[in-house]
Amino acid sequence: MSSQANAGTFILGDRVVNRMGYGAMQLAGPGVFGPPRDHEAAIAVLRAAVEAGVNHIDTSDFYGPHVTNQIIRETLHPYGDDLMIVTKVGAVRGEDASWQPAQSAEDLTRAVHDNLRNLGLDRLEVVNLRLMGDIFAPKEGSLAEPFSALAALREQGLIRHIGLSNATAAQVAEAQTIAPVVCVQNHYNLVHRKDDALIDALASQGVAYVPFFPLGGFSPIQSDVLSRVAADIGATPLQVALVWLLARSPNLLLIPGTSNLLHLSENLAAAELELPDDARARLDAIA
């Protein structure tokens, strides 16, 4: 697997991380619920990601629930000094695998302690408050109460940095009046670009933007232009979708997820690709 050096680095919180990271969601079972079909394969993928230079892993204790964090601990603990594990709170899973909001101070405190226990940590480096709008889009509304609860946990020393997930620009601005925001994790990719202005605003502030569903999520990105560009540069369409994101702005940190070693290798290899100017212009025009 390739080195991640060509993807560059960016500061997340107060740590430098490689821009090509890994999302652990798919380490859980189908529907992000229950254990993986192949526990040893999940361990192998996670170990291979870190060996390839990934030092930014995105997770949550509501993946499984508890499953991905427990696999991360089993595979990687004690953690290397350069490894940044970023988690999320703000939801719980029902017995029917449903995703349910859990945003009270009590809910968030419990979630932080669950993450600490299952990851085997005394303090969480970055905790994202996952706002529960639509799965693909945020919903306006004040976040003062839940964000203030996380800020209080930060003051207690249980959290080092706070981020937001599925947030609007107005919610980011509101959160920044309460405590520093070190990253925003929203739906963004080659064909879904509603956050263009937010990305640029955060870049000017030195704040990381972490696109979720960078390859389209449950419905992978498909485009004739994307396929033709991929053929022209000798890559897969999904690799091109990743390298386009890396070229979009230096504050974008990628966390493509997979439970397959081959797919992991392909995703990480995108860091080694060069996107010619004419190819980028063709891709820019898709949306």
Side-chain angles (χ1 to χ4, degrees):
M1 293 184 184
S2 61
S3 163
Q4 302 312 298
N6 283 7
T9 60
F10 195 76
I11 295 176
L12 177 56
D14 54 7
R15 302 261 294 276
V16 176
V17 298
N18 293 326
R19 293 180 62 208
M20 185 68 80
Y22 175 74
M25 183 173 72
Q26 293 188 40
L27 294 181
V32 201
F33 196 72
R37 290 191 176 97
D38 187 334
H39 186 83
E40 293 305 313
I43 289 175
V45 167
L46 188 57
R47 182 175 291 123
V50 173
E51 290 174 351
V54 167
N55 60 3
H56 169 208
I57 295 176
D58 179 82
T59 185
S60 175
D61 210 58
F62 54 68
Y63 293 163
H66 316 306
V67 170
T68 62
N69 282 353
Q70 291 171 354
I71 292 174
I72 289 169
R73 180 177 183 174
E74 177 184 356
T75 306
L76 302 176
H77 193 277
Y79 306 113
D81 291 340
D82 69 335
L83 182 62
M84 174 75 87
I85 298 176
V86 178
T87 191
K88 284 179 290 299
V89 295
V92 293
R93 305 300 296 278
E95 292 184 2
D96 59 352
S98 58
W99 305 77
Q100 302 172 6
Q103 311 241 323
S104 71
E106 181 180 9
D107 289 332
L108 297 172
T109 300
R110 182 184 305 111
V112 164
H113 282 282
D114 285 345
N115 277 277
L116 289 167
R117 181 180 63 256
N118 285 313
L119 287 168
L121 291 169
D122 296 321
R123 179 174 63 180
L124 301 172
E125 282 293 321
V126 181
V127 175
N128 287 324
L129 173 62
R130 212 302 181 175
L131 300 171
M132 300 298 287
D134 181 85
I135 188 173
F136 291 111
K139 181 180 179 181
E140 291 288 4
S142 176
L143 50 60
E145 185 174 343
F147 195 80
S148 295
L150 286 186
L153 293 170
R154 176 175 173 265
E155 290 299 315
Q156 294 174 31
L158 297 178
I159 298 171
R160 190 165 187 175
H161 301 289
I162 312 174
L164 292 171
S165 180
N166 206 34
T168 67
Q171 288 167 333
V172 174
E174 181 185 20
Q176 288 174 324
T177 68
I178 299 169
V181 174
V182 301
C183 59
V184 175
Q185 186 182 105
N186 278 4
H187 182 204
Y188 185 85
N189 55 47
L190 177 63
V191 299
H192 184 92
R193 305 187 199 170
K194 292 183 178 180
D195 268 1
D196 273 332
L198 178 59
I199 288 171
D200 294 338
L202 294 173
S204 70
Q205 300 172 29
V207 175
Y209 183 97
V210 186
F212 67 73
F213 295 146
L215 300 177
F218 303 113
S219 301
I221 296 169
Q222 296 183 10
S223 161
D224 290 340
V225 173
L226 177 61
S227 296
R228 288 195 293 271
V229 169
D232 289 345
I233 69 172
T236 71
L238 296 185
Q239 285 177 322
V240 173
L242 290 174
V243 76
W244 179 87
L245 285 169
L246 289 172
R248 168 61 182 82
S249 181
N251 67 324
L252 262 65
L253 303 179
L254 307 193
I255 51 167
T258 181
S259 59
N260 180 284
L261 278 171
L262 176 60
H263 292 162
L264 174 70
S265 180
E266 291 176 349
N267 288 344
L268 298 183
E272 301 297 315
L273 296 175
E274 298 289 341
L275 190 62
D277 290 344
D278 63 325
R280 183 176 175 183
R282 290 158 64 192
L283 295 170
D284 287 347
I286 286 178

